[in-house]
Amino acid sequence: MPQDTAPPVAPAPAPDQRLHPWSWLFVMLMQLRQFLLPLVALLVFGGRGDRDEMWTYLTTLIVIAVLVAISILQYLTYRYHIGHDAISVRSGIIARNRREIPFARIHNVVVHQNPLHRLFGVAELRLESAGGHRPEAEMRVLKLSQALALEQLVRQRGQQPPPLPDAGDAAAVLHSAPSTAAPAAVLLQLGNRDVLRIGLLSNRGWVAVLAAWGASYQFFPRGYVSDAVEHHGREVFGYASHLHPATWVWVVAAVFTVGGFWLLLRLLSVVLALLRYHGFQLTEQERRLTVTSGLLTRMRTSVARRRIQAWTLRETALQRWVGRRQLRIDNAAGVGSDDDGRDLRELAPLATPAACDDLLRHLLPRLQWPPPRWQGVARRGWWRLCLPALVVVPLLSVGAVFEVGPWGAVLLAWLPWSAFRASREIARMGYYLDGDYVAVRGGWWTRWWRLAELDKLQSLRLSRSPLDRMLGTASVWLDTAGAGGSIALRLRFLPESEARGVLKTLNQALARRRLR
């Protein structure tokens, strides 16, 4: 008689994972930060008598207790499960939410550590997808080893999901660093001197000045700051006028004042650059780029090379004089702003032109860079770049003459400068197109180069304004996913026949590549 065979036993499902036991504390601190100003105002201006002060303190304690309870409930109700090809996240206190996030859909992974995270040995993990305005999942907080292991898992599964013999293996990955991964190759590393140079060549100090000015209106009564500045200014100028200084003394004082403010801005820019770019390192592992930087708050963000949509080289006049430029990218993950560090945008915040070119050639092996020949535009259309100034400046000058007299005509001095700048800019405008990528360049005082692979183009558009129709010209707009920044991938001021030829060539190239 045939022997009975036992049916195969299905592997046990992987258990749901919880956040770090201290995650409720970080959630509470994040929520408390949002209520910090109202609580301070309540404590300072809440009451004057003994009874009022008692109710003020009691209200503050109730608010803090509610925040603690909400944070603990969020910790108790947050679960995530690592499957074969996706991460499942369950959250919510009253309304229960469940999100399935396929590994292939995760475009960007951010590991964030502020000083408190580093003190507790934990990190915040954000999983971001294409075009989203918010992360797909925010895990506050995980052990640092777990966060890095989960980042490694996303990197591996995002390339090609491997079969799992046991569902519990996915959870085990979070508790042991992978040993089969190839070591990361360092593509760019910035030292303290490079970070110092970033601060000296940038104007980030204005960010701190404007932030301090805005904060003063939050902490002080309305008009207090402006009245104080006006009052002390009158005292200083009144005291100085009684001394009857010579004209050259006023000039020297003005120079020292402007110079001191400029030095203050440079100092603030250097401090902000150190906070953001200290220890900057760009690495590559398994065709995924990772940037790690930050002095107090460490940020580790990564993106797959295939997710990069466009590349931008940019150099200001100051950067060009010291032989430096920056390399930025647009990726398909649209989360975060340009300056918050959450979205990987800067591959090289500041590097030599040769280093930036080497990075481009390494990451885009088929790229011929710099292009062998740029296709320029007709220089006779230079006046179109300064057309707003040609219309607005004379009108402003006429109004200024009526207000202040002949000195108002000084505004007309802007027209020669605008015309000179426009002529220089149109001399640098150009584009390059081959079977693999398209590149555009422009700018004069601040120069830029922008390029994209033909595979990454999402749409093509031929644009003709009324002025274009009068002059027989057109512009070709090239759109990619996640496009951002102030520089558009656009071919401007082309003859109509040339623009339509470029559009036809791009359409044919895209059609051929889609059939492969």
Side-chain angles (χ1 to χ4, degrees):
M1 293 181 64
Q3 297 181 352
D4 294 335
T5 58
V9 179
D16 290 346
Q17 305 291 316
R18 277 190 175 183
L19 301 177
H20 192 276
W22 285 107
S23 64
W24 66 270
L25 174 63
F26 292 90
V27 173
M28 185 200 68
L29 292 176
M30 182 194 68
Q31 294 177 344
L32 189 61
R33 185 175 57 184
Q34 300 175 358
F35 293 94
L36 181 61
L37 288 179
L39 288 176
V40 171
L42 182 64
L43 290 173
V44 175
F45 307 106
R48 299 304 179 188
D50 294 338
R51 175 181 288 273
D52 291 339
E53 288 184 359
M54 181 186 69
W55 282 109
T56 298
Y57 292 131
L58 182 60
T59 303
T60 304
L61 291 176
I62 291 174
V63 171
I64 295 176
V66 169
L67 293 179
V68 171
I70 293 175
S71 303
I72 294 176
L73 285 176
Q74 287 186 0
Y75 163 71
L76 294 175
T77 57
Y78 192 100
R79 298 285 191 279
Y80 67 95
H81 173 82
I82 301 176
H84 289 259
D85 55 1
I87 296 178
S88 176
V89 176
R90 292 189 295 128
S91 61
I93 301 174
I94 299 176
R96 299 291 291 165
N97 300 315
R98 181 185 179 95
R99 304 194 69 177
E100 295 288 338
I101 310 170
F103 289 111
R105 187 172 133 192
I106 299 173
H107 289 193
N108 192 20
V109 181
V110 179
V111 180
H112 174 268
Q113 274 191 300
N114 61 31
L116 189 61
H117 289 144
R118 298 169 69 178
L119 179 64
F120 280 83
V122 297
E124 179 180 335
L125 188 75
R126 305 184 187 123
L127 306 177
E128 302 170 352
S129 64
H133 296 287
R134 298 184 60 185
E136 290 288 337
E138 292 183 276
M139 299 182 181
R140 300 188 179 102
V141 291
L142 299 172
K143 287 184 179 180
L144 179 60
S145 58
Q146 284 184 271
L148 296 178
L150 184 54
E151 179 198 31
Q152 179 70 21
L153 180 65
V154 171
R155 178 186 295 117
Q156 294 174 348
R157 303 287 175 80
Q159 299 291 334
Q160 183 179 2
L164 288 178
D166 188 282
D169 291 347
V173 175
L174 298 181
H175 302 279
S176 61
S179 59
T180 59
V186 178
L187 301 182
L188 180 67
Q189 192 166 4
L190 301 183
N192 290 332
R193 183 175 298 180
D194 299 313
V195 177
L196 179 65
R197 190 179 287 115
I198 293 175
L200 292 175
L201 297 178
S202 69
N203 292 315
R204 295 178 181 271
W206 281 107
V207 177
V209 172
L210 296 177
W213 184 263
S216 65
Y217 282 91
Q218 297 291 332
F219 288 99
F220 297 100
R222 170 175 284 186
Y224 177 84
V225 177
S226 57
D227 292 343
V229 172
E230 182 180 359
H231 174 71
H232 291 296
R234 285 180 177 178
E235 286 188 350
V236 171
F237 281 103
Y239 176 75
S241 61
H242 285 304
L243 299 177
H244 303 290
T247 304
W248 67 270
V249 176
W250 286 105
V251 173
V252 171
V255 169
F256 271 93
T257 301
V258 174
F261 184 70
W262 183 86
L263 289 176
L264 176 63
L265 288 179
R266 295 302 99 188
L267 178 61
L268 293 175
S269 298
V270 168
V271 171
L272 292 178
L274 285 171
L275 291 175
R276 178 168 180 177
Y277 296 110
H278 176 76
F280 181 93
Q281 188 177 68
L282 171 66
T283 59
E284 181 185 19
Q285 185 180 25
E286 297 176 354
R287 298 186 61 82
R288 192 174 187 91
L289 302 177
T290 301
V291 166
T292 306
S293 64
L295 180 61
L296 299 179
T297 298
R298 296 291 290 173
M299 188 76 70
R300 177 184 173 93
T301 177
S302 64
V303 64
R305 281 172 50 176
R306 60 191 175 91
R307 304 296 187 186
I308 300 176
Q309 306 296 310
W311 312 70
T312 304
L313 288 164
R314 186 176 179 273
E315 61 180 23
T316 64
L318 285 175
Q319 292 171 350
R320 184 164 60 253
W321 291 338
V322 298
R324 295 294 187 274
R325 67 176 54 154
Q326 55 184 267
L327 175 61
R328 302 172 65 90
I329 61 171
D330 294 341
N331 60 60
V335 179
S337 67
D338 237 10
D339 295 325
D340 63 3
R342 287 171 54 180
D343 197 4
L344 199 161
R345 295 283 183 180
E346 294 178 306
L347 294 188
L350 199 67
T352 62
C356 292
D357 293 344
D358 290 341
L359 270 177
L360 275 176
R361 287 190 288 264
H362 171 75
L363 299 174
L364 297 173
R366 295 179 298 180
L367 177 69
Q368 298 183 41
W369 191 263
R373 182 176 178 273
W374 289 95
Q375 182 67 37
V377 300
R379 298 190 180 186
R380 61 179 178 272
W382 62 269
W383 57 272
R384 299 179 63 177
L385 294 176
C386 62
L387 186 59
L390 294 175
V391 175
V392 175
V393 171
L395 295 178
L396 293 177
S397 179
V398 170
V401 168
F402 277 105
E403 289 292 330
V404 300
W407 282 104
V410 174
L411 294 177
L412 294 175
W414 181 259
L415 292 178
W417 164 253
S418 180
F420 173 75
R421 185 181 62 179
S423 64
R424 301 304 301 169
E425 285 185 3
I426 204 165
R428 287 205 71 256
M429 289 177 60
Y431 71 93
Y432 175 79
L433 176 64
D434 64 12
D436 294 317
Y437 77 102
V438 58
V440 181
R441 73 174 185 181
W444 167 64
W445 188 256
T446 297
R447 299 180 179 179
W448 54 264
W449 299 259
R450 187 164 172 82
L451 60 138
E453 297 174 274
L454 298 186
D455 289 340
K456 304 302 174 62
L457 297 181
Q458 300 291 320
S459 64
L460 310 175
R461 177 163 55 96
L462 184 72
S463 173
R464 301 191 71 204
S465 66
L467 189 58
D468 283 322
R469 289 194 290 270
M470 290 176 54
L471 301 176
T473 59
S475 297
V476 179
W477 291 76
L478 313 173
D479 295 328
T480 60
S486 58
I487 301 176
L489 194 58
R490 178 173 57 164
L491 285 57
R492 304 177 65 190
F493 305 155
L494 301 183
E496 183 184 0
S497 57
E498 183 180 350
R500 294 191 182 278
V502 168
L503 190 67
K504 181 179 179 180
T505 301
L506 288 172
N507 276 322
Q508 292 174 348
L510 290 178
R512 287 195 302 269
R513 300 180 81 88
R514 290 192 184 103
L515 292 175
R516 293 179 183 177

